[in-house]
Amino acid sequence: MGSSRHAPIEISINPEARVSVALAAPFPGDNRCGRPINVPIKIMNDSFITARLEARLVANVPAGVRLDFRPAPLSGKPEDWREMTITLAEPGMKDITVSFKARNDIPDLGGRDRVHFLIGCRTP
Amino acid sequence: MMGRSKMAAVTRRKVLAGACAWAAIPAAPARSLESLPAQPYLAAIDRLKDSLMRLGSPLRREDSARIASLARAGDAPAIEAIEGILNRYTLLRLSVDRGRFVQTAAGEADRVLVEQGWRLFLIRISNPGGLTDPFDVITSQPAMLPGHMDRWLAPGGFSMAQHPPVVDTVNYTGWLKQNWCMTRLADAPALSGQPVEYRILEFFSRDRGRRSVTPSFAIGPATRRGQIWEFDCLASRDVALRIRDADGRGCMAALIVRDDAGRFYPPQMMRIAPDLPFQKQVYRADGESLRIPEGAYAIEARRGPEYVPVVGKLQVTGGGGTADIALKRWIDPSKWGWYSGDTHIHAAGCAHYDVPTEGVSPETMIRHVRGEGLSVGEVLTWGPGYDYQKQFFSGHAISPHASLEHPDLQKANSVSWQPKDTPEDSESLLRYDMEISRFPSSHAGHLVLLRLSNQDFPGTTRIEDWPSWNLPILKWARAQGAVTGYAHCGGGMDVDTQELPNYRIPLFDGLGTNEAIIDVTHGAVDFLSGCDLTPAGELNAWYHMLNCGFRLAMVGETDFPCISDERPGTGRSYVKLDRRPVGDAGYGAWIEGLKQGRLYFGDGRSHVLDCSVNGRSMGGQDVLLEAPGLIEIKALIAARLEPAPTEETRAIQVNNQSWHIEHARIGDSRQVPVEVVVNGQSVARMSLTADGAPRPVRFQVRLERSSWVSLRILPSVHTHPVFVTIGGKPLRASRRSAQWCRSCIDKLWEVKSPFMRPGETGDAATAFDHARSVYDRIITECEAD
């Protein structure tokens, strides 16, 4: 039975271990520059894989943006949760793209492995 | 800059005219761009370029290059210049304020549509208030019940694998009579909140000639009416196709048609089966046709890796056009008795659909298999679409007429071409079988069950009832005469080296070889599958099991369209037969040859047309030697690289981590390495000119003990071993290999047993213990480390 909790990012892992990602809820607002912004991630795993889930910034990576994501192994259960933190050094909006994949596996096809979003911060 | 008075006028109109809240605006003032944050804007433009490419309607090459150059500058003048370029693709410039009132102006894009086709335009949205509301462009009356479009319901209520443009006309007859056009926004449904963003509008025209429509814009809860759009809709014409194989017979081929702007035809975004939206190519037979607008095109024809792509020009006029295509083979392995097959393709799931649905029909799949020149295509029913697709299982090989599925849907979409038979049709077979994926046992590796006569595990009525580990399924399948193996064997098997062999224990955290290491000791595994992931991850376990004396094959597969959605047959196996496989008997011979190891596998760009060790071939009898000594390996090998690296081949080398002969190219030469592999070790090597000509090779190597011997050009082709028995002793090639397998069992139990049902762990533990004892015995029997 899946959890009814919502997360800004939802990941689906299909039976062939293709990792696809989508925005599912608003991102945290009122962020302070220099402080980590915690973004919950819900994972629906239809594949049993227990590989590490990896995340990285891709595409046009803006300066002053740091992504922290602990690439821990998946449980293999139908539902997992993770959290990534984004730290923005400077005020203003940034357009960020994050790609997800399972360790040593190929990304999902058709760009479904990645999600992009706008996020900003203000000076403390 | 927009004047306050005009905004005020809009506000008055809001009061007076309700939904008719728009005003014309001039082109974007440069001053507003100075305050535009560069990074979010440029990142979004980068994605826009990718999306247009993915949808088959890229920016012109010179525009794309110019934008890339300007993006590096990233300042206000550069952004202004980018705006100027994009304006040439822009149909509408729309400004929305915080009250969701809009002002519009025309972009510079030519207002030209295509009869019975799709064109892409940009919509520039100025959104200074940072709204993040849902946004849509409405050009026709609602034609469906709420929610219908999301699921693409077709007659009978089932959802479709494709993205038909006017599927709703099936359920709502007459809709097309009221609406000559249909539009759809690509990508995200909501405004991003950026001050300036571009959206892609896909625009379908039913008609030719001059047409007009008045759009509305849905912004959150508000709907605003826009100004009239007038279009010239180009007539589309039928292009007759004459497609000849190298021997002059008519056949099926893969065709890629593009105009000078780089747009693909038929347009990708709204194809219906058998044309698939995620492929550039479509498959057509001799005598069939394509419907495309008047104009000039390049048409490229391929038929799998045994052919050299042929490119020609196509001119479509008011009278239509004709494309006369003569395919060009560089190699025909069947002349040496080798017949190709892909043991892992799907008609449902993955790239076929966003939501797992029922998939496409055998009539569509056979078109793709024929068009890739495959003799055998194993269409595997698996979790997604299982309940629908299992109706196509018959226990027989089939080669159906490539008719168009769902006639009502085809008619509703004005599909005009008629499928034709060709003299080569019977040379390609489909066999519907199973991949045990998204079943309770799938954690232990995905099984590929071929030549099944029964697809329902005893005592089960649904997937969830099947065993939670693999061996019971393998035993059930083999009891009915099936040929059994494991899919995508590199999954979870990679370690931090590409060395072959290596002795590091994988994490077994993916969907690869896994339980095969146990099941092979029970005599339940005929093959492993590769060619879709990294060679080291795929081959290492195979080498170790061969070194323990187990005789199982490795086969080539694609896992279309999951691991690759490019086409079936990117990974393939070639099986030696006396005659071309036709019908059940032909399939039976092909699958039996695969089981016996009369095969080589790879990407189809290298071929081991003849191979013998002391006169014995793969899958034949062992070579028998009284004592250690020299063996002679003779082979006839053909491989083909482009004469010199090209932009396309360099892209393959950079981006493709899997099987492709380009990875074997030695420097910038046209040479590839041919290696002799004995017990997993490369013991001899020579360079081969990969110009497509079959070339004899000869090696002599010394064997000290019973061994297996293969040839390979990695990562392009690998033969099944020839086994050599020396002094009557069983093959026990490497103690370290046996120890590797033994260690894997413990790791597998640790990782996989938590996913087994409690009631099944007892039998599983017993089976694992059996495997431990087998490998323990083999360790003691090995003379060599």
Side-chain angles (χ1 to χ4, degrees):
Chain A
M1 184 68 73
S3 162
S4 59
R5 290 167 58 197
H6 293 290
I9 292 178
E10 284 191 357
I11 289 175
S12 302
I13 306 177
N14 84 354
E16 296 281 298
R18 301 283 80 79
V19 176
S20 63
V21 57
L23 295 179
F27 270 64
D30 193 25
N31 305 307
R32 301 289 183 88
C33 297
R35 294 186 184 172
I37 304 163
N38 298 323
V39 182
I41 300 170
K42 182 179 183 178
I43 302 159
M44 291 156 286
N45 184 354
D46 215 6
S47 74
F48 293 108
I49 63 166
T50 53
R52 285 197 315 254
L53 184 68
E54 299 169 345
R56 64 191 178 98
L57 293 167
V58 294
N60 192 334
V61 181
V65 175
R66 200 179 84 197
L67 171 72
D68 291 302
F69 183 81
R70 194 168 71 88
L74 295 160
S75 70
K77 295 176 181 173
E79 184 175 310
D80 263 333
W81 285 80
R82 293 284 187 280
E83 190 171 80
M84 69 179 185
T85 60
I86 297 167
T87 308
L88 305 175
E90 300 166 359
M93 299 303 287
K94 304 293 182 187
D95 185 308
I96 293 172
T97 303
V98 183
S99 170
F100 294 85
K101 68 185 275 292
R103 182 197 74 96
N104 280 341
D105 216 328
I106 57 172
D108 196 9
L109 305 170
R112 291 186 292 270
D113 64 307
R114 56 193 57 194
V115 65
H116 65 87
F117 49 88
L118 280 175
I119 193 165
C121 67
R122 58 185 174 83
T123 49
Chain B
M1 182 99 185
M2 181 69 56
R4 283 182 176 275
S5 59
K6 183 152 281 186
M7 291 300 289
V10 171
T11 305
R12 284 195 297 276
R13 219 178 354 255
K14 169 187 171 186
V15 175
L16 296 172
C20 290
W22 58 266
I25 56 170
R31 214 183 90 193
S32 67
L33 300 176
E34 292 174 4
S35 58
L36 193 64
Q39 190 279 329
Y41 175 84
L42 294 171
I45 297 303
D46 214 33
R47 276 196 304 276
L48 182 76
K49 287 165 57 182
D50 290 346
S51 293
L52 289 167
M53 178 72 77
R54 177 170 49 81
L55 292 168
S57 187
L59 297 179
R60 288 181 180 275
R61 184 184 292 251
E62 59 272 23
D63 288 340
S64 184
R66 177 70 179 142
I67 288 173
S69 172
L70 291 165
R72 283 192 286 276
D75 52 14
I79 290 174
E80 188 175 349
I82 291 172
E83 288 280 288
I85 294 170
L86 293 180
N87 198 32
R88 297 201 289 271
Y89 299 84
T90 299
L91 175 66
L92 177 78
R93 304 168 66 87
L94 181 147
S95 177
V96 56
D97 67 12
R98 286 181 185 275
R100 302 187 180 88
F101 292 95
V102 301
Q103 298 173 298
T104 63
E108 293 178 359
D110 291 335
R111 293 193 174 186
V112 176
L113 296 174
V114 178
E115 179 195 16
Q116 292 297 324
W118 290 80
R119 274 285 163 89
L120 265 58
F121 297 97
L122 300 183
I123 293 184
R124 181 189 188 273
I125 302 171
S126 173
N127 177 17
L131 294 179
T132 56
D133 287 340
F135 174 75
D136 202 0
V137 177
I138 303 163
T139 53
S140 57
Q141 295 300 311
M144 63 213 78
L145 296 171
H148 263 210
M149 190 62 92
D150 291 340
R151 299 181 64 83
W152 297 106
L153 289 181
F158 55 82
S159 50
M160 299 301 301
Q162 315 83 29
H163 304 283
V166 287
V167 64
D168 38 312
T169 61
V170 174
N171 294 315
Y172 293 84
T173 54
W175 179 81
L176 261 184
K177 293 177 182 174
Q178 302 166 26
N179 299 280
W180 67 271
C181 68
M182 182 175 181
T183 53
R184 191 180 80 159
L185 284 171
D187 299 330
L191 297 172
S192 69
Q194 289 204 51
V196 173
E197 68 178 297
Y198 285 85
R199 303 295 301 274
I200 300 170
L201 183 69
E202 303 169 348
F203 215 123
F204 174 84
S205 172
R206 178 196 62 187
D207 298 339
R208 66 181 69 173
R210 190 84 174 164
R211 291 290 182 273
S212 64
V213 66
T214 303
S216 296
F217 308 102
I219 304 166
T223 300
R224 308 301 189 198
R225 193 171 171 85
Q227 294 173 288
I228 193 167
W229 283 336
E230 293 191 338
F231 294 94
D232 286 323
C233 304
L234 300 179
S236 61
R237 308 291 181 186
D238 287 329
V239 175
L241 300 169
R242 179 178 162 86
I243 303 172
R244 298 288 168 183
D245 205 344
D247 61 5
R249 294 184 298 163
C251 67
M252 188 83 71
L255 306 178
I256 299 174
V257 180
R258 69 188 102 193
D259 64 16
D260 61 358
R263 293 180 292 221
F264 293 92
Y265 296 84
Q268 279 176 264
M269 66 223 65
M270 287 294 180
R271 290 180 178 180
I272 61 169
D275 304 340
L276 300 180
F278 51 84
Q279 294 177 319
K280 305 292 186 203
Q281 74 274 22
V282 297
Y283 293 93
R284 291 290 186 275
D286 181 44
E288 295 179 343
S289 63
L290 277 173
R291 195 168 195 194
I292 45 184
E294 294 173 19
Y297 302 89
I299 182 166
E300 178 181 317
R302 303 179 181 223
R303 198 172 187 236
E306 298 162 18
Y307 291 75
V308 179
V310 291
V311 182
K313 292 181 178 177
L314 174 63
Q315 188 69 43
V316 183
T317 64
T322 301
D324 204 339
I325 297 164
L327 297 173
K328 186 178 175 187
R329 270 188 182 276
W330 68 269
I331 191 75
D332 185 357
S334 71
K335 290 182 177 174
W336 286 267
W338 297 100
Y339 296 93
S340 62
D342 187 340
T343 48
H344 192 161
I345 59 179
H346 295 296
C350 291
H352 278 309
Y353 337 103
D354 292 327
V355 178
T357 54
E358 289 81 1
V360 298
S361 69
E363 290 74 20
T364 289
M365 294 304 292
I366 191 67
R367 183 174 287 274
H368 289 235
V369 168
R370 286 175 184 146
E372 294 299 335
L374 288 161
S375 296
V376 176
E378 282 277 4
V379 184
L380 305 181
T381 299
W382 63 309
Y386 173 78
D387 290 324
Y388 178 80
Q389 285 286 328
K390 71 195 299 259
Q391 68 175 298
F392 300 121
F393 174 83
S394 65
H396 296 284
I398 58 173
S399 187
H401 173 60
S403 56
L404 306 181
E405 58 183 81
H406 303 301
D408 288 349
L409 181 68
Q410 303 284 346
K411 185 178 177 184
N413 286 279
S414 301
V415 170
S416 58
W417 62 281
Q418 295 297 316
K420 303 288 185 185
D421 293 328
T422 80
E424 295 194 18
D425 284 358
S426 65
E427 296 179 5
S428 294
L429 306 174
L430 297 182
R431 185 54 152 82
Y432 274 72
D433 278 308
M434 294 184 76
E435 180 190 11
I436 306 303
S437 171
R438 209 178 81 180
F439 285 59
S441 66
S442 297
H443 60 89
H446 290 184
L447 298 177
V448 175
L449 309 179
L450 309 179
R451 200 173 63 185
L452 285 168
S453 55
N454 180 341
Q455 61 175 341
D456 295 309
F457 192 83
T460 65
T461 56
R462 56 192 191 125
I463 286 175
E464 289 76 10
D465 299 333
W466 282 54
S468 62
W469 62 303
N470 279 338
L471 188 57
I473 300 171
L474 289 167
K475 288 181 173 176
W476 160 76
R478 290 173 68 87
Q480 56 174 291
V483 177
T484 57
Y486 274 74
H488 33 69
C489 282
M493 300 297 288
D494 273 312
V495 293
D496 295 332
T497 177
Q498 294 299 305
E499 188 181 355
L500 274 172
N502 69 72
Y503 301 92
R504 300 182 193 179
I505 305 301
L507 293 174
F508 294 106
D509 54 6
L511 304 171
T513 302
N514 291 341
E515 197 191 295
I517 298 167
I518 288 89
D519 299 337
V520 74
T521 70
H522 294 266
V525 183
D526 295 311
F527 64 89
L528 306 178
S529 307
C531 294
D532 41 14
L533 295 169
T534 63
E538 294 168 342
L539 297 176
N540 195 51
W542 185 45
Y543 283 6
H544 289 312
M545 284 188 266
L546 289 172
N547 282 351
C548 291
F550 297 111
R551 298 194 176 188
L552 71 169
M554 175 70 82
V555 305
E557 66 169 19
T558 298
D559 195 358
F560 171 89
C562 289
I563 292 181
S564 169
D565 59 5
E566 182 184 339
R567 55 191 171 82
T570 56
R572 50 179 63 197
S573 303
Y574 287 84
V575 175
K576 187 81 178 274
L577 298 174
D578 294 333
R579 62 182 64 88
R580 185 175 293 282
V582 176
D584 272 338
Y587 169 78
W590 190 87
I591 198 70
E592 194 61 28
L594 182 139
K595 180 180 179 179
Q596 297 299 325
R598 294 193 293 274
L599 73 98
Y600 63 87
F601 65 93
D603 66 349
R605 297 177 178 87
S606 305
H607 298 269
V608 184
L609 301 166
D610 195 12
C611 178
S612 66
V613 177
N614 285 11
R616 295 285 167 85
S617 301
M618 298 96 76
Q621 292 182 321
D622 289 7
V623 176
L624 303 177
L625 300 180
E626 292 292 327
L630 290 174
I631 57 165
E632 183 179 59
I633 303 146
K634 291 181 177 176
L636 184 67
I637 303 178
R640 189 178 186 283
L641 284 166
E642 291 301 312
T646 64
E647 187 178 337
E648 186 179 1
T649 64
R650 291 194 194 283
I652 292 166
Q653 288 180 332
V654 169
N655 294 326
N656 193 333
Q657 298 300 308
S658 189
W659 289 66
H660 196 291
I661 192 173
E662 273 301 329
H663 298 298
R665 189 191 287 268
I666 299 172
D668 284 346
S669 75
R670 208 181 188 185
Q671 305 276 310
V672 293
V674 178
E675 295 174 278
V676 179
V677 182
V678 174
N679 301 334
Q681 306 284 346
S682 176
V683 299
R685 172 183 168 126
M686 63 169 287
S687 294
L688 180 87
T689 300
D691 59 358
R695 296 175 185 276
V697 300
R698 181 173 171 275
F699 297 92
Q700 276 196 326
V701 298
R702 179 177 172 81
L703 301 184
E704 300 295 336
R705 59 189 58 81
S706 295
S707 300
W708 59 271
V709 180
S710 282
L711 292 179
R712 73 184 185 195
I713 300 172
L714 275 186
S716 182
V717 71
H718 202 303
T719 71
H720 189 75
V722 173
F723 295 95
V724 181
T725 299
I726 300 179
K729 291 185 177 179
L731 198 158
R732 297 288 185 262
S734 166
R735 184 180 298 111
R736 290 184 73 192
S737 285
Q739 288 169 334
W740 182 88
C741 293
R742 175 65 177 80
S743 298
C744 286
I745 296 175
D746 294 335
K747 183 67 178 176
L748 277 160
W749 183 257
E750 172 196 328
V751 175
K752 304 302 181 187
S753 63
F755 296 106
M756 298 176 188
R757 293 192 192 100
E760 295 177 88
T761 52
D763 286 347
T766 301
F768 275 59
D769 283 342
H770 167 81
R772 288 186 180 97
S773 67
V774 169
Y775 287 115
D776 284 339
R777 176 172 51 79
I778 293 172
I779 289 169
T780 65
E781 293 171 351
C782 289
E783 295 174 357
D785 193 41

